Amino acid sequence: MGSSHSSHGRKAPKTPSSSVSEQQKEKTPDQKHVFVWNIDGFSSLLEQGEGFTNTPFKMHGIAWNLAINPMDRNTGDTEKHLSLVVCAYVKPDCMLETEFKFFIRAQKYGHKHVEREVSHTYMTSSYRSGVKCMIPLETLKNPSSGFLWNDTLAVGVELIKFKKVHCNGELRRSSITSIQKNKPSESFSWFVEDFSQLDKPVAFSKPFRIAGYTWRLKLKPEGEYNNDFLALYLDLDNSASQLLPSSGVMVNFVLSIKKSESTAYARRLRYNFTGKDTSFGMMDFIRQVEFKDPANGYLIKGRCTFEASISIFGSANDHLS
């Protein structure tokens, strides 16, 4: 059974790295496509706290995100579990009918020890699906289970069936990500003098420098696919950062709208920005009616302030072969 997940949006003090391998094989009926995410330094991911961490990948020419939350809980339960979610962002005129399998690999024994199958139809209004509380965290950490190997955890998704997009061959990717300890966050504020005069459909803040990278805030005042919402994203300026297409950085960040001197509305996210995936945020950041209601204090006489608080907690050096 498929389940819809509402998510947003990790490791030991090692130099974060990520490797990707891609192989093309002859096309056969009902080919299976697999993405494996090897998280090196899992114990430090736990130190990041609750919340989903995302990493991008491509299958069938579609951009996907695999998200992991190792500290999820069922309603009314205090025991922590690992949850997995896959997101696909599709256009309004497109639907993706899928069947896929989430897995956690028991590396000590060399096989997929825990698997859950899911069916889901992706569309603009339903772009995420996954397995909530797939395995208890204590079971995952138990050395006898074999899931953790040298503080590395391997999770993934296997796409079994896919309808709508044609694929010429089998695609296999493997990504290794190492995560560091928490680092202090830095913030940038974008003051907008007249919201009604912002560029449409997309407005950008001026570039700003945090943690050795150049960023911009990207705002869609009339929304992405749904004009009931305001869409807000964090963009990595790849030309300024000189980040190679095969490398990336793991980022904790908060997008917010400020009210007076305090943050009034905020969304917390995590993402693995790469040279090919340089933008991430919320297409449903806040409802237009909430944002424009004077009583809420977000937009006063056309003025408003958006803010990004950013902390780098890992990096990647991927390569294709």
Side-chain angles (χ1 to χ4, degrees):
M1 293 292 293
S3 63
S4 251
H5 234 284
S6 189
S7 65
H8 284 286
R10 298 153 143 146
K11 320 190 165 188
K14 304 175 183 178
T15 301
S17 65
S18 188
S19 70
V20 176
S21 63
E22 187 176 45
Q23 299 175 341
Q24 293 288 340
K25 296 183 178 180
E26 291 185 8
K27 183 178 179 182
T28 58
D30 297 322
Q31 279 186 331
K32 298 175 183 178
H33 298 44
V34 179
F35 174 78
V36 182
W37 187 10
N38 297 289
I39 303 173
D40 180 19
F42 180 73
S43 59
S44 287
L45 173 58
L46 300 180
E47 294 177 12
Q48 301 293 325
E50 297 186 34
F52 278 88
T53 301
N54 297 264
T55 194
F57 64 98
K58 277 196 173 183
M59 284 184 181
H60 285 294
I62 300 294
W64 310 79
N65 278 298
L66 176 61
I68 178 175
N69 183 358
M71 302 178 71
D72 206 2
R73 293 181 176 89
N74 284 310
T75 303
D77 190 2
T78 59
E79 186 177 16
K80 297 174 182 177
H81 293 72
L82 182 143
S83 296
L84 290 173
V85 169
V86 166
C87 302
Y89 302 99
V90 297
K91 295 182 178 180
D93 59 351
C94 179
M95 291 195 310
L96 310 177
E97 296 181 0
T98 66
E99 292 183 18
F100 49 90
K101 183 185 297 180
F102 290 97
F103 61 84
I104 306 171
R105 181 163 289 161
Q107 301 176 89
K108 183 177 180 180
Y109 308 114
H111 60 88
K112 302 170 189 175
H113 192 75
V114 174
E115 298 180 338
R116 299 287 187 275
E117 292 191 10
V118 172
S119 298
H120 187 71
T121 299
Y122 287 90
M123 60 189 75
T124 302
S125 60
S126 183
Y127 58 89
R128 41 170 93 90
S129 181
V131 179
K132 183 174 177 64
C133 296
M134 190 167 173
I135 186 174
L137 179 58
E138 288 306 312
T139 301
L140 195 71
K141 292 164 60 178
N142 189 327
S144 65
S145 69
F147 292 114
L148 287 174
W149 187 259
N150 293 329
D151 204 26
T152 298
L153 179 71
V155 299
V157 61
E158 179 179 299
L159 187 58
I160 301 170
K161 291 185 179 180
F162 180 92
K163 183 179 181 182
K164 188 69 175 180
V165 179
H166 176 72
C167 180
N168 292 325
E170 182 181 9
L171 173 62
R172 293 184 63 88
R173 290 171 58 97
S174 181
S175 174
I176 302 176
T177 303
S178 295
I179 296 178
Q180 300 171 323
K181 299 284 186 180
N182 274 322
K183 294 184 178 181
S185 62
E186 300 178 60
S187 298
F188 167 80
S189 294
W190 177 21
F191 175 70
V192 178
E193 180 68 34
D194 189 346
F195 182 80
S196 66
Q197 296 302 309
L198 285 173
D199 291 339
K200 297 179 179 66
V202 183
F204 291 94
S205 73
K206 68 179 183 181
F208 58 95
R209 193 86 172 164
I210 288 181
Y213 296 92
T214 302
W215 311 85
R216 296 187 302 176
L217 285 175
K218 179 171 70 177
L219 176 69
K220 296 194 174 182
E222 298 174 338
E224 185 80 46
Y225 302 123
N226 187 343
N227 58 16
D228 289 338
F229 291 88
L230 182 149
L232 185 63
Y233 305 86
L234 177 65
D235 275 16
L236 174 65
D237 187 343
N238 196 32
S239 61
S241 68
Q242 298 182 348
L243 187 65
L244 297 175
S246 58
S247 63
V249 287
M250 303 292 289
V251 182
N252 274 324
F253 63 102
V254 178
L255 300 177
S256 59
I257 306 172
K258 299 195 74 173
K259 179 179 180 181
S260 299
E261 296 302 318
S262 61
T263 299
Y265 182 88
R267 306 291 290 270
R268 185 178 300 274
L269 303 103
R270 293 176 185 161
Y271 196 65
N272 180 19
F273 289 86
T274 71
K276 294 180 180 179
D277 296 273
T278 57
S279 181
F280 193 70
M282 304 293 298
M283 61 183 178
D284 54 354
F285 179 70
I286 189 172
R287 289 188 176 274
Q288 296 277 6
V289 291
E290 289 183 57
F291 172 66
K292 295 178 179 179
D293 186 346
N296 291 328
Y298 305 139
L299 186 65
I300 303 297
K301 296 182 179 180
R303 299 183 180 127
C304 57
T305 302
F306 299 97
E307 186 173 272
S309 180
I310 299 171
S311 174
I312 305 293
F313 67 96
S315 63
N317 293 297
D318 301 348
H319 54 272
L320 293 172
S321 59

